[in-house]
DNA sequence: CGGATTGTTGAGGATACTCAAGTTAGGTGG
DNA sequence: CCACCTAACTTGAGTATCCTCAACAATCCG
């Protein structure tokens, strides 16, 4: 599969490549390889030497970190168009987390050495990459603020809304999270246990806010969920 | 005070300007102004239009965010050499937090409009700035992981160690945090209350790990603190 | 049709918060 | 220089949230 020629049209519209000329883009794509991953596959693992960085074209990835004690934390979800595995930009020799495909995924990969070349040679790309990191930093701070100040139910509400915004697809009955999410996953995003998540979601389901199922999630009433997230709706009746 | 000529030697050694030529540096400094802040002063406030970005030359700043409910969270401490207030890099029109001097401080300031000019015109600077953001992102993730998985005492241990590493000065008896830190501050860094911090620190003081005082903190035994942080030493007894 | 993964629900208990005094330290003005 | 005032801190008691432990049910997959 590697070294198949990559179609410029596929990536031209990604925000990451905004204001990058066709000429530059061809140059950039020349050193890329395309890879396919099936659900469950690891794109890279925590601690491994960071010899590549990636852009996700299709699918979803879950990036996790494992604590020394073996507890897992979900750092973020990678959505199509996202840059990931950019350990090099952090001047790290290894990947700080593990990236797993949660559904069938396709990514472009470049050798790490290309990073600095791209950054120095394509200022527009550098600005876009910086913006990507900025967005990620803001999300991390938002989550920190939540973890520091909010009770579990509100954190779960925010996590679910974030999933709906980033990876939701509108359906007749609400917003569907269009990849498999387990209660354990939500627990690892919010710093709680799957038990607590289960209790909260069943309560919400009774209230008609969401509809769950085995690794399925449909948000029926985002507005009321937002109220819960902001502490303006009951919760602990 | 503004528009006094700025000495190149003062900033030449900062990591941010590594590999930036003298020529470029002069160009960059030409549009900078230098400002002084006394303890307590706000450099900028949350929500304010981000018309400048800064580099701290001397002193310490505390960057906080306030939740809609009025709870404060300390996002980070700014140390000499650090870039801060770079809302522009995040494509934000306003500052996402408030920066207060905790001790006498001096900073360089540039108009926001210069940001893109610098990034496009000085690739070395762009790479360094990206690295700065990368470091910050890693710290945010580390804190997230802590908040998600660790109990309060361990989080406090990590926060204190982080302060010691970033802003500590070696003394005969240990590592002194060389600016005023209150228990409230530590609480706002770790997502707990000043009461709990007080209880933990007095316990540590009895054990000879630290020595406290009104807004004072001296780490006497970083090694044992690290053990507590990693969950390898008692704590709750 | 088993086996495994995922999810549900209950009971009990611990961590850490809230509420409530009170104490100490530092700065300020008389 | 001392008295006072405030901000920072200490400490105790009661309690709520949420975790742990435990058993069981449902769903998916081969």
């Amino acid at each position: 599969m590697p070294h198949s020629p990559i179609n410029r049209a596929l990536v031209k519209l990604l925000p990451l490549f905004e204001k990058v000329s066709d000429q530059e883009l061809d140059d950039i794509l020349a050193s890329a390889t395309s890879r396919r991953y099936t659900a469950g596959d690891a794109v890279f693992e925590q601690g491994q030497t960071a010899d590549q960085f990636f852009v996700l074209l299709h699918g979803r990835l879950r990036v996790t970190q494992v604590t020394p004690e073996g507890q897992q934390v979900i750092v973020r979800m990678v959505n199509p168009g996202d840059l990931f595995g950019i350990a090099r930009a952090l001047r790290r020799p290894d990947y700080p987390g593990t990236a797993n495909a949660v559904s069938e995924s396709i990514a472009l990969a470049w050798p790490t050495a290309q990073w600095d070349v791209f950054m120095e040679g394509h200022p527009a790309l550098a600005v876009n990459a910086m913006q990507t990191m900025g967005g990620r930093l803001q999300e991390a701070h938002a989550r920190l603020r939540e973890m520091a100040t909010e009770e579990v139910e509100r954190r779960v509400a925010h996590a679910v809304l974030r999933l709906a915004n980033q990876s939701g697809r509108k359906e007749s009955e609400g917003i569907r999270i269009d990849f498999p999410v387990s209660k354990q996953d939500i627990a690892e995003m919010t710093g709680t246990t799957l038990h607590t998540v289960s209790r909260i979601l069943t309560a919400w389901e009774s209230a008609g806010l969401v509809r769950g199922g085995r690794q399925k999630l449909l948000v029926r009433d985002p507005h009321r969920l937002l109220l819960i997230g902001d502490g303006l709706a009951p919760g602990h009746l």
Side-chain angles (χ1 to χ4, degrees), chain A residues 79-149:
Chain A
N79 296 297
D82 286 359
L83 196 57
F84 68 99
I86 52 173
R88 179 65 195 177
L90 325 176
R91 287 279 185 275
R92 276 188 69 110
D94 58 340
Y95 296 113
T98 297
N100 288 100
V102 294
S103 58
E104 192 74 16
S105 299
I106 299 172
L108 293 183
W110 287 266
T112 289
Q114 289 294 94
W115 179 261
D116 286 344
V117 178
F118 288 168
M119 290 304 103
E120 310 237 353
H122 308 281
L125 187 60
V127 168
N128 291 339
M130 185 120 46
Q131 213 176 315
T132 296
M133 293 187 64
R136 233 173 270 179
L137 193 56
Q138 286 194 82
E139 181 178 322
H141 282 163
R143 285 179 63 191
L144 262 176
R145 206 178 40 223
E146 290 171 15
M147 295 285 296
T149 63

Side-chain angles (χ1 to χ4, degrees), chain A residues 44-55:
Chain A
F44 52 76
E45 303 211 44
Q46 187 170 354
Q48 204 175 290
T49 303
D51 46 11
Q52 299 192 298
F53 66 92
F54 307 83
V55 168

Side-chain angles (χ1 to χ4, degrees), chain A residues 199-212 220 224:
Chain A
R199 287 182 234 269
I200 290 171
L201 289 190
T202 37
W204 287 353
E205 191 149 1
S206 313
L209 290 174
V210 299
R211 213 165 57 201
R220 306 188 71 181
R224 266 211 291 162

Side-chain angles (χ1 to χ4, degrees), chain A residues 43-235:
Chain A
V43 178
F44 52 76
E45 303 211 44
Q46 187 170 354
Q48 204 175 290
T49 303
D51 46 11
Q52 299 192 298
F53 66 92
F54 307 83
V55 168
L56 187 65
L57 293 184
H58 177 82
R60 307 280 173 194
L61 306 180
R62 185 183 48 204
V63 180
T64 58
Q65 288 186 357
V66 179
T67 66
E69 289 93 43
Q71 285 191 85
Q72 219 177 49
V73 177
I74 296 186
V75 171
R76 68 183 186 109
M77 299 300 302
V78 179
N79 296 297
D82 286 359
L83 196 57
F84 68 99
I86 52 173
R88 179 65 195 177
L90 325 176
R91 287 279 185 275
R92 276 188 69 110
D94 58 340
Y95 296 113
T98 297
N100 288 100
V102 294
S103 58
E104 192 74 16
S105 299
I106 299 172
L108 293 183
W110 287 266
T112 289
Q114 289 294 94
W115 179 261
D116 286 344
V117 178
F118 288 168
M119 290 304 103
E120 310 237 353
H122 308 281
L125 187 60
V127 168
N128 291 339
M130 185 120 46
Q131 213 176 315
T132 296
M133 293 187 64
R136 233 173 270 179
L137 193 56
Q138 286 194 82
E139 181 178 322
H141 282 163
R143 285 179 63 191
L144 262 176
R145 206 178 40 223
E146 290 171 15
M147 295 285 296
T149 63
E150 299 175 1
E151 291 180 352
V152 172
E153 185 175 27
R154 296 180 53 187
R155 301 205 302 267
V156 173
H158 280 128
V160 168
L161 286 169
R162 208 170 279 129
L163 285 174
N165 284 330
Q166 295 179 348
S167 327
R169 213 169 28 108
K170 269 210 182 87
E171 286 188 3
S172 57
E173 313 218 23
I175 304 169
R176 159 123 281 134
I177 310 303
D178 69 350
F179 60 84
V181 213
S182 68
K183 318 273 155 161
Q184 178 69 39
D185 288 335
I186 296 178
E188 287 172 9
M189 291 177 205
T190 52
T192 181
T193 61
L194 78 162
H195 309 274
T196 300
V197 172
S198 175
R199 287 182 234 269
I200 290 171
L201 289 190
T202 37
W204 287 353
E205 191 149 1
S206 313
L209 290 174
V210 299
R211 213 165 57 201
R214 191 194 175 84
Q215 304 207 46
K216 282 178 178 21
L217 190 54
L218 177 80
V219 180
R220 306 188 71 181
D221 192 341
H223 185 255
R224 266 211 291 162
L225 248 196
L226 192 57
L227 290 181
I228 289 180
D230 291 347
L232 304 171

